[in-house]
């Protein structure tokens, strides 16, 4: 089992940057593929980015490709989401999630979730 805690959210102007962190408990973090999802008010949770357990294979939603970068540090049990060139439509609660099933874009394939961190981008 793994517990996840996100941090780094906040209020930023359009064009700005934020880096989200997700700290995981347990000694098995390095065996999980990790994902970031987001949910805006009145909308369904959507995939943002994912990274393989080795850190060698990142995958991005088209809406964030070229602006966001996912990375992980297995020695620190942490996964990051660097968000650049932020847009108002990026405003959402951002969640990190863990799975052993496969590197996936589907929320229902992730077994463990953090509590979320709010990102608000003003225009």
């Amino acid at each position: 089992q793994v517990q996840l805690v996100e941090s780094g959210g906040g209020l930023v102007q359009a064009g700005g940057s934020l880096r989200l962190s997700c700290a995981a408990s347990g000694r098995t973090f390095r065996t999980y593929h990790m994902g970031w999802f987001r949910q805006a008010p009145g909308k369904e949770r959507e995939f943002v980015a994912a990274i393989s357990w080795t850190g060698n294979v990142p995958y991005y939603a088209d809406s964030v490709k070229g602006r966001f970068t996912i990375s992980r540090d297995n020695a620190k049990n942490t996964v990051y989401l660097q968000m650049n060139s932020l847009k108002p439509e990026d405003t959402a609660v951002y969640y990190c999630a863990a799975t052993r099933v496969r590197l996936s874009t589907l929320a229902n394939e992730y077994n463990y979730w953090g509590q979320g961190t709010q990102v608000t981008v003003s225009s």
Side-chain angles (χ1 to χ4, degrees), residues 42-95:
K43 295 187 176 182
E44 293 187 352
R45 191 168 297 190
E46 66 172 357
F47 170 75
V48 176
I51 191 165
S52 63
W53 65 272
T54 61
N56 294 336
V57 181
Y59 191 75
Y60 300 96
D62 288 343
S63 59
V64 306
K65 200 172 295 183
R67 300 188 298 122
F68 290 11
T69 302
I70 188 171
S71 62
R72 67 188 295 162
D73 185 338
N74 285 342
K76 295 183 177 180
N77 279 14
T78 302
V79 62
Y80 304 97
L81 186 67
Q82 177 67 43
M83 306 186 295
N84 299 328
S85 303
L86 282 161
K87 305 175 181 180
E89 51 264 43
D90 294 318
T91 295
V93 177
Y94 283 71
Y95 300 88

Side-chain angles (χ1 to χ4, degrees), residues 27-53:
R27 295 177 292 178
T28 59
F29 171 76
R30 64 184 65 230
T31 66
Y32 286 87
H33 304 302
M34 299 298 296
W36 284 97
F37 291 78
R38 66 187 181 187
Q39 188 166 18
K43 295 187 176 182
E44 293 187 352
R45 191 168 297 190
E46 66 172 357
F47 170 75
V48 176
I51 191 165
S52 63
W53 65 272

